[in-house]
Amino acid sequence: MSHRIDYARALCLGGRVDDAFSELREAERTSPQLVRHNPRVRETLRDLRKQSPVTGGSHSSELLAMAQRCRAVQ
């Protein structure tokens, strides 16, 4: 599972926001507790939110929901 988290981080750093978020979603699907309590996931989600396009005045609601579940945002 940590492989997916690390891969998502690398994708994020490479600017591949959609691919990175897909990896995190898959990681959460297979191991939700590990993902929700992982500091690297929180850091990646914060970076993804910064990079994601803003539509209608807000970031992707799915990304925001995951960030809230993982306590990456308040």
Side-chain angles (χ1 to χ4, degrees):
M1 188 51 46
S2 63
H3 170 75
R4 283 197 182 274
I5 293 168
D6 291 340
Y7 185 51
R9 183 75 187 141
L11 290 168
C12 174
L13 292 173
R16 295 175 55 187
V17 174
D18 292 336
D19 294 333
F21 188 54
S22 293
E23 285 296 322
L24 289 179
R25 278 194 313 245
E26 183 61 25
E28 185 182 36
R29 187 185 69 74
T30 58
S31 186
Q33 294 293 49
L34 177 68
V35 170
R36 292 178 188 160
H37 298 287
N38 190 304
R40 285 180 315 200
V41 171
R42 286 192 286 276
E43 181 181 358
T44 302
L45 286 167
R46 285 185 202 110
D47 288 347
L48 288 174
R49 289 200 67 223
K50 290 176 191 172
Q51 294 179 42
S52 69
V54 176
T55 45
S58 66
H59 295 279
S60 161
S61 59
E62 192 176 354
L63 176 58
L64 178 59
M66 180 184 249
Q68 289 172 332
R69 285 192 303 275
C70 296
R71 297 180 328 269
V73 296
Q74 304 303 9

